[in-house]
Structures are given as structure tokens and as C-alpha cells.
Amino acid sequence: MTPPPTAEHRRLAEATGRAEDGLFHANPWYEWGPYLAERAWGTVREDYSSDGDAWSSFPHDHARSRAFRWNEDGMAGISDIRHELCLALALWNGRDPILKERMFGLTGPQGNHGEDAKEYWWYLEGLPSHALLQWRYHYPQAEFPYQELVEENARRGLGDLEHELVDTGVFDDGRFWGVDVTYAKASPTDIAMCIDVTNHGPDEATLHVLPTLWFRNTWRWSGRTDLPDLSLSGGAVVVDHPRLGGYRLQAADAPDGTRPEALFCDNETNMPRLYDAPPLTDHPKDGINDHVVSGAATVAPDGHGTKAAFWYRLTVPAGETRQVRLRLHRPAAPAAWDDVAVDRVLAERRADADEFYGAIGADLDEERMRVLRQASAGLVWSKQMYPYRVSRWLDGDPAGPPPPESHRHGRNAGWRHLDSFDVLAMPDPWEYPWFAAWDLAFHAISWAHLDPAFAKYQLSVLLREWFQHPNGALPAYEWNFDDVNPPVHALAALRVFVIDGARDVAFLERIFQKLLVNFTWWLNREDPEGHNLFGGGFLGLDNISPVDRSHLPDGIRIEQADGTAWMAQYSLVMLVLALVLAAENPVYDDMVVKFLEQFLLISDALESSGLYDEDDGFFYDRLVDAAGNRTPIKVQTLVGVIPVLATASVPLDQIERLAALRKRFARRLDGAERAAGPVLPVTGRDGTQRAVVALVKPEQALRTFERLFDEEGFLSPHGLRSVSRRHVQPYSVPGLPDAVIDYEPAESTTPMYGGNSNWRGPVWMPTNYLVVRSLLLYDEFLGEDFTVEYPTGSGTRLTVREVASDLADRLVGIWLPDEHGRRPVHGDQPLLADDPAWRDNLLFFEYFHGDVGAGLGASHQTGWTALVVDLLLDPPARAHRLFDVRR
């Protein structure tokens, strides 16, 4: 789809390419962006412990006092693209024991359902070029209840609800600050920062606002002595740095006309506080914190340092708003503050955002446009600079002490080649502030509507030599690069190709070449018996099985319906990619044959495997013991649905021209080989003759659809549950009495994979999305005269496309007001659901309650949950085919 020529599209089109240092520097407007994480503490990169306990190695209590090694974090933060200079917000309500410099949350061991952010903030606006960014935070006026949140959640168990910040009473009577931070660029290197502070409480109150500028500490680990410097000159903080010299952070007067006080310290660890060791500096990283909160003499009296803040004290009457303004820019010469210029750039960038989203979402009503803009803003704000050189992390830094020997040979030791210094789409900047391979593939689909160049880069970069393992594996995520995620990279590349207008064949060719290596890795590593029945264990579905599929009992292996289906789909997508490339270059004809043959081998293996239960009309995993005895795991989950998703529709004329392929295809088409998944000639909706290739027979798919569309089973008012609701009655695996699963619509009651990702009932966006898009492929060959009962047992019959549309509407409806004006995503929390200051602020959670649609899990998982963008902009009623290869 060719985007309308808005001002934002013109900005995005200014340049494309890759900088010499490995950064995606496709556009000068990317020089500054929301690359600053919201949590750097408690991450693997910062963990140099002997036992690999990342949460304990670098806790929240250390974050204000300890210099980070690999990246930085902050609230409403931006940085330059190399992550060397950072700008973010700090606040103090006059009661807390520390400045609010970063979001607080519970660690994995502290939370009764794993790690969990305990704050409320939202992404309201984001242009892909970062020319406009808006962030909102609600900060209690009472002392922040850090200890209560830790202690109460520790008291609760897996079967209890989580104790949230709103449950503590700190927002009662509206006693909180609403803080909006807006960045608007006049040019790639001229950024206005506006901080709007609203007193929602009934009384006048004072808030301390400290916009903070600092350098990432890159000198301590290298032994450099030529430190960068921040200093005060002409009322502005001036940057002295080899690359960034000349930048100035200029601050306007406070609304009452007073000047903010400039404070300086050093971004160095407070050694006496943390380690009872001699100090590195008299003004360490927490120097500004200690000075503001307790009046300590911990800021630099000479006005120099590597961290600086402007200290505003804002006294705001009840119900009123005050604004603080700053400007980060690189002027040729110091200039006086210019409010008119700031007003102008704010108005222009807001108009640009209205124009951009109005163009790509022209058919959307007001509420759907709100969902589109906030979901897109979440995608934009989740872009992060990701520095991580694994070899140096394993071995230690030249200027630092060596890590424990166990660290050098523990987690990620087999990934010494991985050397990231890239801007990546993160799942969640707080809970998952690191890339995840299959999450990132889904992110790219929605990104393709906003910034196709960035979407393509996201898919390309994990296949580059500094990420992809020499053996062909893709790194799963920082916590364990060796985990195996579903192979959805090829599918995402094809979808991005289609969304972008099906023109960039060179992009597909680059992706295809590297995916060949990854495909071979799957064949060699995840099919150990060579039977074309694939495992993979975890496969991203965490605890969806009653057994831990990555850690089976001794002597037991597993045959996974979903692992086999993912590989069948991988084969089909590679087949379609090869067809696109073969139309340009006949060298790829052999690849078409290769992937058709591979698909047919998998199809035949699945057909003869017995994983499909004829009586239940469902696919089940199966355990195999050392003696070859096979035990089906007869629980109805999304594992049994994934085989139905593996299908493709290909124009017959493209196949007929391939002589090498015709013989093999003809045998399938004339019925000589119909024992396995069908290859059927059909007339598509557009009148073209097509061949439909599917892993399962139509009658098997329809039987599975009966289960899928059952409101007492998978179908909820808000999408498809991950486990059938009929498993309210628990299921136990025969012979393994401890292997039990039941339907859990909300949070998990099992500690498997930390207990913070529940696939035992809730609605998950990525799997629902794949079902919706696959239904459109079925519709392509079943046609508008074919109907299915939907919901099952209702007597109502719809075309498959109508079913896909309804499922998409149920998913989008999670964020839309119902007949009572309440959004299901807010659940039954009155403050979030009803209060005007809260109800239109949308969060895009990791998953959603299987019965009521309330948001659960990671609260800012705008990564794959932003697939709602694709459902809004390419709805099933008029969607492009997922595998449309015509150009």
C-alpha cells in the first residue's frame, strides 16, 4: 500500500541505509528517539553474579546509586541513537524517600505472578520519526507505598490476585499528579520538551520537577580518562563531548517567573553506600537525589559533572495545570529563550500527527482512531538502543575485575559472536526491555504500516552475522538465547512485503537467503529422529501444557503438534517467497520444489503420526517413552489449533510454468497422492485459478473450527482463549499424576516459566491474529457460498471471512467502550474504568482475561499486542491475502 504523502511520510523518506558503525541510521530524524529503557536494573546484561540471579544482582534499590554497564533507564526518556547522551524526567512529591527517576515494580521472585510493574503510565502520541512523542504518568501525592507493594504481594500466593498500586489507596480523593511529557522536534537536532503538571487533588500542592541530562557511563569500563562534561553556561547546560559537543539544554523560567536551579553530579557508582568502599567521586550518581530529598552536600559546587538536572518547584492549586519548558538543541551561538518558537513547533508537530494518522486510518471512527494512535505510540516508545557484546559480558571489561568463573561459562556462553549495537523493537520497555525473536516478528507487521523501512530492518537485523548463530539458530531473548521460539520470521517478512506494496523483492531475497540457514537448523536440531515430527519444547507458549515441554522426565521425549505445524507453515511461507523470487530469477525454481517437497514430507508425517484424534477432531501432543510407548496429552489448547493455520493459496499459472514442479504437483492435483494434507485446485474470489496447499484436510479443519468457535470452549467475547474453557474440569496426563492443567482465565497458578506468562486460558493477540489471517486464506478457496456455524451451536451460519471479521472485532473491542461506556481492558477497577482522568488512557497488555477481556501480564506489551494496528488498518472485511504474491 502506497502511503499518502503526509509531512511525516516525507520525513521518513529522507534517506535509507545503514551507518558504518552498525547502527540503523536510515534517517536524520532518528538521531534522537525514545531509545532509553524504562528498566535497566534486574536485567541479564547487568548481571555479573556467580549464580545468574539477575534480579538480585542489580535490584531497584541499587539503580539510583549504581552506574549501569550496558544501557540506561529513565522516565519519559530519550537519547541520541548511540545512547551516549540521555534526557529524562525525575519527580519528587516531597514525601518519598527517593526521587522518582524510574518506574518501580516487583522482581520475578517478589511478585506472586512474577515480575510486575507497579506504576501507571501511558504512551499517548508517537510519530515514527520521533518528531512528536507524548507520555503520561500518574504520580501519588502521598508517599509512594514501596514497602507495602513488596510485602503484600509476598504474602499472596499464585491463586491470589496481585496487589496493585491502586489497591493501596494512594489515589483516593484524586490526590495524584498527572504529568504529561511532550517532545516536539523543530529539526533532527532541535527538540522542545514540555512538561505539563496537573494537580488532580482537592488541595494546593507542590511538586518538584527535575528534567535530567546525563551521559551513559562508557569510560569506567574502558579505563578512559577523557571524560565528557556537562556545565552551566548562560543559563543552559552545555555538552562537551567528542561526538555531541555543542548541544545545550536550555530551560525556561518556571511559571511563577523563578529560575530553576541547575544541579550537577557524576554518573558514577556510590561505592560507600553500596559496597562500603572508597568513593570514586564526592558527587556520585545519586548525588542529586540525596541533595533534593535530604539537603546533602552531594552536588558539585563547581557546576560540572556527567549528570545534571534543572530543579523546578511547582506549587499548583487544586485542579490546575502548570507547564515547564526546555529545549535541547545545537545552536550556532547561544540564544535567548523563545516561547513563540516552542509554541510553533508544538502546533506543527501535532498537526503532522493528525495528518499522518488521519491518512493511514482514514476510515476509522473516533474510538478506533484512539486505539490506533495509542497502540502506535506504544510501538514508537518501545524502540530501544540495545548494546550487548556477549563476549565482553562473559569475559569482563579490560578496566574492571573479571567476573566469576561460573558466569563465564553460564547463560548465553554459546553466543559469543552476538554483538548488538542496534535500535530494536522491544516487547515492553519495563518488563521485557530486551528483544524477543518471535515478538519482534509480530512487531514488524504493525511497524510496516507506520515505517516500512524500520519494519524491514527489524526482520533483517536478527539474521545478520552479529545476531544469527553460525549454526543458523536465531537468538530467542536475553534471558536465554538458546530457547526456541516459533519460526515466524518468514511469515512476518511476507506480510511486511505485502503491506509495503509487494514491491521490494530485494528485501525478500536478503531475508530468504539467511532463512535458508535457519530452516536447515530446524531440520537438523528439532527433528532428532528424522521423522519430520518436530519438537522445540518451549516454543514461546510457556506453560500451555501440563508438562514442562523443555524439561521432560528422563527417557521421555515429546512429539509436538505445534512444533510440526510451525515447520509446515515455515515450509509454505518459504515456498511462497521462493515463488516471488523465481518470478524474477529462475535460479529460485529449485527452491520452490525444495520447499514444496519439505512441506509434503511434514504433511505426510503428520497424517501418519496419529497426533490427530478423529473422535475429538483435534490435534494433541504426545509423550514417547524409551520403550516407544506413546501417550497423547488430550488437552484442548492452541497447540491443537496451530496445524489448521498452515495453509497457502498460490496462483496456478506460477506453478504451471515450473516444469520441475509440475510433475510433483500434478500427482497431488489428480488425486494420486491424497493421503496427506490436500493440494487443491480452486477458483479464488478474484476469479484466478489457484492451488491451495494446506497441512490438514478441509474436513479436519472444519472439525477443529467446531471446537474453536464454541463459546463454552475457545470462543470468548474478546477473542479466542488459549485453553478450552471446558477444562474447568482439570486434566491429568495418564501416568504423570503431577502433570495437571485446567482452564485459568486470568493469572497463572503454576510457577512454570516464572508464573508471569499464562497460556492456560487468557486471550493472546499473536495467536488470535494468526487465526484471523489464516481464516482469510480458507475463505479464499471455500468461497462466499460456504458457511460455518458461528458460534458453534447457535444455528447462525457465516462465511469464513465474516467469522474472521467478527473475531477481529472482538479483539479490537477489548479497548472500545461497551454499552455502559466501559472498556473491557480496564476490568472491574472503577478508577480506571470510570474516572475521566483515567478511562481514555489505554494500555496494551501481554494477554487478556479469557472471560471479561481485562488486561493481564506485562502492562506495556505494545509489541505483539500492537497487532491491533494491522487489524484496524487492514481489517478482514477488505484485507489483502496474507500470501498475496502478485505485484
Side-chain angles (χ1 to χ4, degrees), residues 168 174 337 430 566 626 840:
T168 67
W337 180 263
W430 192 93
W566 286 122
D840 292 336

Side-chain angles (χ1 to χ4, degrees), residues 57 159 298 345 370-371 435 447 461 539 559 681 741 807 839 873:
S57 171
T298 49
V345 71
R370 188 192 311 277
V371 177
F435 74 90
W447 264 112
V461 71
L539 279 180
E559 295 172 341
I741 189 172
L807 279 175
R839 64 190 179 201
L873 297 182

Side-chain angles (χ1 to χ4, degrees), residues 529-790:
E529 303 298 318
H531 296 159
N532 289 296
L533 293 176
F534 292 84
F538 172 61
L539 279 180
L541 300 184
D542 295 23
N543 57 23
I544 199 167
S545 173
V547 299
D548 185 339
R549 301 194 300 177
S550 292
H551 304 93
L552 297 168
D554 290 342
I556 300 291
R557 63 181 176 86
I558 190 168
E559 295 172 341
Q560 291 181 220
D562 58 336
T564 302
W566 286 122
M567 278 303 288
Q569 187 175 65
Y570 197 175
S571 301
L572 281 181
V573 181
M574 292 294 279
L575 164 66
V576 176
L577 294 180
L579 278 168
V580 176
L581 299 175
E584 303 285 330
N585 185 345
V587 167
Y588 288 96
D589 287 354
D590 289 344
M591 289 291 99
V592 177
V593 177
K594 181 262 188 300
F595 284 107
L596 177 63
E597 291 289 347
Q598 190 64 58
F599 170 77
L600 294 177
L601 287 171
I602 296 171
S603 178
D604 290 344
L606 187 66
E607 175 70 15
S608 59
S609 70
L611 295 181
Y612 181 74
D613 188 300
E614 294 284 352
D615 294 332
D616 292 353
F618 215 80
F619 287 88
Y620 297 121
D621 281 353
R622 191 166 54 196
L623 296 175
V624 185
D625 65 20
N629 299 309
R630 287 169 162 78
T631 302
I633 303 175
K634 301 187 72 171
V635 56
Q636 293 189 357
T637 73
L638 287 175
V639 165
V641 176
I642 290 171
V644 179
L645 309 184
T647 183
S649 172
V650 181
L652 272 177
D653 58 0
Q654 294 196 38
I655 294 171
E656 288 301 323
R657 72 176 183 79
L658 299 174
L661 185 59
R662 187 182 302 125
K663 177 180 178 181
R664 181 63 163 148
F665 230 79
R667 292 167 63 189
R668 289 275 166 166
L669 292 173
D670 67 14
E673 291 188 9
R674 295 293 298 281
V679 180
L680 302 173
V682 299
T683 301
R685 277 180 174 264
D686 58 1
T688 61
Q689 295 299 304
R690 308 182 71 82
V692 171
V693 189
L695 183 59
V696 303
K697 299 174 183 177
E699 56 269 25
Q700 290 177 320
L702 293 174
R703 287 290 310 281
T704 304
F705 287 161
E706 288 179 21
R707 308 294 188 199
L708 202 57
F709 303 152
D710 180 3
E711 291 180 302
E712 294 301 314
F714 286 95
L715 184 62
S716 88
H718 308 289
L720 297 170
R721 305 174 175 106
S722 46
V723 171
S724 171
R725 196 174 185 275
R726 294 187 180 277
H727 287 299
V728 168
Q729 299 299 320
Y731 169 84
S732 298
V733 179
L736 294 174
D738 294 332
V740 180
I741 189 172
D742 61 354
Y743 169 68
E744 299 173 5
E747 299 291 4
S748 175
T749 61
T750 173
M752 194 184 300
Y753 286 96
N756 63 319
S757 294
N758 181 19
W759 287 87
R760 298 189 166 199
V763 171
W764 289 78
M765 183 62 73
T767 46
N768 272 261
Y769 173 83
L770 291 175
V771 170
V772 169
R773 292 299 175 198
S774 294
L775 285 173
L776 295 177
L777 292 171
Y778 279 94
D779 174 77
E780 182 62 33
F781 65 86
L782 292 173
E784 58 188 12
D785 294 330
F786 183 87
T787 61
V788 296
E789 189 177 38
Y790 181 86

